[in-house]
Amino acid sequence: MSAAMDPHDDAELLGAYALGAVDDDERARVEDLLTRSPEARAELARYEAALVALTDAEAPAVLPAGGWERTRAAMLGDDDPASSADADADGLAPVLPLPELRLPRRHRRRVRRGPAAFAAAATLVAAGLAVALVIPRDGGSGGLRRAAEAALTADSSRTGVLAGDTVSARAVVDAKGTGYVFGDDLPKLPEGRVYQLWSLDGSAPVSLGVLGDRPGVVAFATGGEVRKLALSVEAAPGVSAPTNPVASGELA
Amino acid sequence: MGSVEDVRTAADGELMRAVAREDEAAMAELYRRHGPAVYGLAQRVIGEATMAEEVLQDVFVRLWRQPERFDPGRAELRPFLLREARSRAIDRVRSNEARVRREDRSSRSEPPGGGDDLEREVWAMIRSEKVRDALAALVPAEREAITLAYFDGHTYREVAALLGEPEGTIKSRIRLGLRKLADALDRAGLGTGPS
């Protein structure tokens, strides 16, 4: 009994306390120690910072689609999450509505007619994954390719090359935050595998879109400043955290 | 007292002061900044996305409604939020439904933290070799004790029972493991000390 009150014993609990792995009595004792001991507070702060790194490494996640809207609605007691003022707060690239890309009207029609693409996109949205707009390598009307090439030559754009051992692709993000990947040289993937694009700027990778198995020019929305990008090869329809990176690079 | 001028560059403490003034933009930024970690930890503990999102929402709604619960003078925000997330995730895991789902998950996958997958998961944190090196500084027994307690929601006493080790041994192992992890991250220049 008396040993349980030993301050050294309480200090020995600091690690378990940081993990939340103590009972109520022990928690109270450690918190009492923390009020009295700057050394204990400093030790705990170091453990907590280490756990933040461990969490980021062991439990990376992409926020659920629409999560901020639902959270905001709950915060405000609002039943209509669609009224969110800041849908970008998810940190997710939104599924690109075609008008935002200002595609030529005829191209919008062409893409919208693709039921398979729509079905795939719906599946991905349901899975909480961002979806990039993928233009096949034969280019369709070429409108998006021209937009991508224009972005590549604009002074205000940031460009880079995503390079790996066996693949590489050029990337550019224009001043408005619309990004493009030139995936013409990416090898076609076997059935059931897809390329997925990631932002590496935060504490965990954020999916910018699933690019399909043979991307040509791909457009994506960044929803904020993106500097580090990576490509991974994943099982279709995509994943919430990368498992098989194949290329990465920085925009400058 | 107006809103924060640039939420993207404001420190967490500044954003929390704005949240206390019911500044939604500040709250949205905190969600963007810390939500993935909260959600990731909840998913890791629960093993199921729907309930993990409930935890995510609970944590941030509570932060909005009771911002005074976080004392910026005593702690960093991220550890505070992770502690909240873990606690709420464990509550759900301990419900029967969650336990069933989790056991089903366990039967289909390897135990968390158990082996070479760690390297891939570390890559998921911006491919940080520094963090990977820091984690490698732990011996497997330390990593196992920390993982069972932190991600699987056990108290150190339960970990001791699970591993058939004395409670004092597990308590020390957890503390030593965290100290080694923090030391390794410090050496790597990742600044784990309080700011």
Side-chain angles (χ1 to χ4, degrees):
Chain A
M1 277 301 210
S2 58
M5 303 302 291
D6 184 338
H8 295 295
D9 196 44
D10 291 345
E12 193 65 25
L13 280 169
L14 276 168
Y17 174 85
L19 296 176
V22 293
D23 63 29
D24 290 344
D25 175 61
E26 290 165 331
R27 182 178 303 109
R29 282 166 36 206
V30 172
E31 288 176 352
D32 179 59
L33 173 68
L34 291 168
T35 62
R36 293 181 281 107
S37 169
E39 293 81 9
R41 289 197 294 275
E43 182 177 339
L44 179 64
R46 297 187 74 238
Y47 295 166
E48 288 181 331
L51 287 172
V52 167
L54 184 65
T55 303
D56 288 342
E58 285 263 290
V62 176
L63 283 166
W68 168 246
E69 288 87 343
R70 289 187 290 276
T71 297
R72 180 180 178 275
M75 278 164 41
L76 303 177
D78 181 356
D79 290 330
D80 178 16
S83 65
S84 170
D86 187 358
D88 285 342
D90 277 357
L92 290 173
V95 177
L96 279 184
L98 296 178
E100 283 190 11
L101 285 172
R102 294 178 180 79
L103 294 179
R105 194 176 297 270
R106 60 184 174 170
H107 187 80
R108 287 183 218 162
R109 284 199 302 271
R110 184 192 308 274
V111 175
R112 283 174 173 170
R113 270 205 298 264
F118 244 20
T123 302
L124 292 167
V125 172
L129 299 171
V131 183
L133 174 63
V134 180
I135 301 301
R137 69 180 68 206
D138 59 2
S141 68
L144 185 59
R145 184 175 295 275
R146 283 196 297 275
E149 287 169 352
L152 206 54
T153 57
D155 291 340
S156 55
S157 295
R158 292 173 297 118
T159 64
V161 175
L162 313 186
D165 290 340
T166 57
V167 301
S168 70
R170 200 162 189 187
V172 57
V173 173
D174 70 17
K176 294 179 180 175
T178 300
Y180 305 90
V181 171
F182 294 81
D184 304 86
D185 295 330
L186 294 173
K188 184 177 188 323
L189 295 174
E191 188 173 345
R193 308 290 288 174
V194 290
Y195 289 102
Q196 193 162 352
L197 181 67
W198 304 88
S199 161
L200 302 180
D201 294 292
S203 56
V206 173
S207 176
L208 294 174
V210 176
L211 313 186
D213 61 357
R214 191 171 182 258
V217 174
V218 179
F220 60 95
T222 62
E225 184 167 347
V226 169
R227 190 170 303 278
K228 298 176 186 172
L229 293 172
L231 271 179
S232 67
V233 173
E234 310 292 353
V239 295
S240 60
T243 63
N244 183 30
V246 295
S248 63
E250 289 196 30
L251 304 177
Chain B
M1 303 292 259
S3 59
V4 179
E5 280 196 13
D6 186 351
V7 294
R8 289 289 173 128
T9 58
D12 284 352
E14 187 181 356
L15 293 174
M16 280 305 298
R17 284 190 289 277
V19 165
R21 301 191 301 269
E22 301 188 345
D23 183 329
E24 281 184 41
M27 190 66 195
E29 172 61 15
L30 290 174
Y31 182 91
R32 188 195 68 79
R33 203 176 280 185
H34 301 296
V38 168
Y39 184 55
L41 180 57
Q43 269 195 307
R44 179 65 191 261
V45 172
I46 298 172
E48 197 272 337
T50 302
M51 282 189 288
E53 187 181 343
E54 291 170 7
V55 169
L56 171 70
Q57 184 168 308
D58 283 355
V59 167
F60 281 92
V61 168
R62 199 171 188 207
L63 187 68
W64 173 256
R65 292 180 178 165
Q66 299 176 290
E68 71 282 359
R69 292 183 63 254
F70 170 68
D71 179 356
R74 288 191 57 181
E76 297 290 325
L77 183 60
R78 176 75 70 95
F80 172 82
L81 294 174
L82 292 180
R83 197 158 47 239
E84 294 270 302
R86 181 182 173 279
S87 171
R88 284 163 184 276
I90 290 170
D91 287 346
R92 281 167 171 77
V93 167
R94 287 178 178 162
S95 73
N96 285 337
E97 184 183 3
R99 185 175 294 121
V100 167
R101 293 184 197 205
R102 189 155 170 268
E103 286 168 356
D104 180 55
R105 173 194 60 148
S106 298
S107 70
R108 285 184 278 108
S109 61
E110 292 184 354
D116 295 335
D117 283 348
L118 188 59
E119 286 197 1
R120 284 184 174 179
E121 296 185 17
V122 172
W123 185 89
M125 183 200 170
I126 61 170
R127 299 182 309 156
S128 170
E129 289 192 10
K130 291 179 178 179
V131 175
R132 185 167 59 225
D133 290 346
L135 289 168
L138 303 185
V139 298
E142 292 163 350
R143 190 185 306 167
E144 182 179 40
I146 290 170
T147 298
L148 283 170
Y150 190 55
F151 290 121
D152 286 9
H154 296 293
T155 66
Y156 78 90
R157 293 180 199 279
E158 292 169 342
V159 173
L162 283 168
L163 300 179
E165 300 267 15
E167 292 175 359
T169 299
I170 296 302
K171 191 163 54 176
S172 299
R173 193 176 286 170
I174 287 171
R175 189 185 189 195
L176 180 60
L178 286 178
R179 184 180 294 164
K180 286 165 70 173
L181 184 58
D183 287 346
L185 291 172
D186 277 350
R187 283 195 302 274
L190 295 186
T192 61
S195 57

